[in-house]
Amino acid sequence: MSVATVVSATWAGLVFLFAWVRRPPPRLPVVERAAPARVRPPRRRLLPRRRRRPRDVVLDELPDVIDLLLLAVGSGLNVHLAVHAVAGRAPPVVGAALAAAERRAAQGDALADALENAVTELGEEARPLVVALTSSLRYG
């Protein structure tokens, strides 16, 4: 027997062995199962919704207002015009405080003083934003 014959016979045997090992498993008969009974989830007791504290509302709205102010100032508006532009587009609670500050400034108060009064309406959470705006107004 030549080496080529032995190699080809071995190769054919290996191919047959791997084909036999990798053959698909026999199919099992399909068993019909009954549909599972629908189980109703237990009824939840409806609890009254917690009212959101004003502090939480202000904390939720401040990032949007800061982004709007950054966009307005970055587009070339000064602080007066940025507050005017953002007051109408800001979320309700902070937007109302900015609009009130803008109205006080239109009546003759300095915008920096009017914005400091907004801290009393919004709470201490808004103080860093107001300090940044008033510093920019007063010191440039």
Side-chain angles (χ1 to χ4, degrees), residues 27-42:
R27 291 191 171 200
L28 299 174
V30 177
V31 178
E32 294 292 329
R33 293 185 180 173
R38 291 185 63 129
V39 178
R40 295 180 106 179

Side-chain angles (χ1 to χ4, degrees), residues 20-131:
W20 181 77
V21 169
R22 294 190 61 183
R23 73 173 191 239
R27 291 191 171 200
L28 299 174
V30 177
V31 178
E32 294 292 329
R33 293 185 180 173
R38 291 185 63 129
V39 178
R40 295 180 106 179
R43 292 188 118 192
R44 294 183 188 177
R45 199 176 94 210
L46 296 177
L47 298 175
R49 283 190 172 183
R50 281 190 322 151
R51 288 184 52 122
R52 291 180 65 184
R53 295 181 297 177
R55 177 179 184 258
D56 294 338
V57 174
V58 170
L59 284 175
D60 287 344
E61 292 181 357
L62 274 177
D64 295 333
V65 172
I66 291 170
D67 287 342
L68 288 172
L69 284 168
L70 284 174
L71 183 67
V73 171
S75 67
L77 299 179
N78 61 18
V79 177
H80 285 278
L81 294 175
V83 169
H84 175 72
V86 171
R89 293 169 179 80
V93 175
V94 179
L98 288 177
E102 185 184 5
R103 277 193 304 274
R104 282 194 292 268
Q107 293 172 353
D109 289 347
L111 182 61
D113 297 333
L115 284 172
E116 285 180 356
N117 288 337
V119 173
T120 59
E121 296 174 19
L122 296 175
E124 289 299 314
E125 293 78 24
R127 184 166 300 282
L129 173 64
V130 171
V131 166

Side-chain angles (χ1 to χ4, degrees), residues 7-19:
V7 169
S8 65
T10 306
W11 181 254
L14 287 174
V15 168
F16 175 74
L17 180 66
F18 284 125

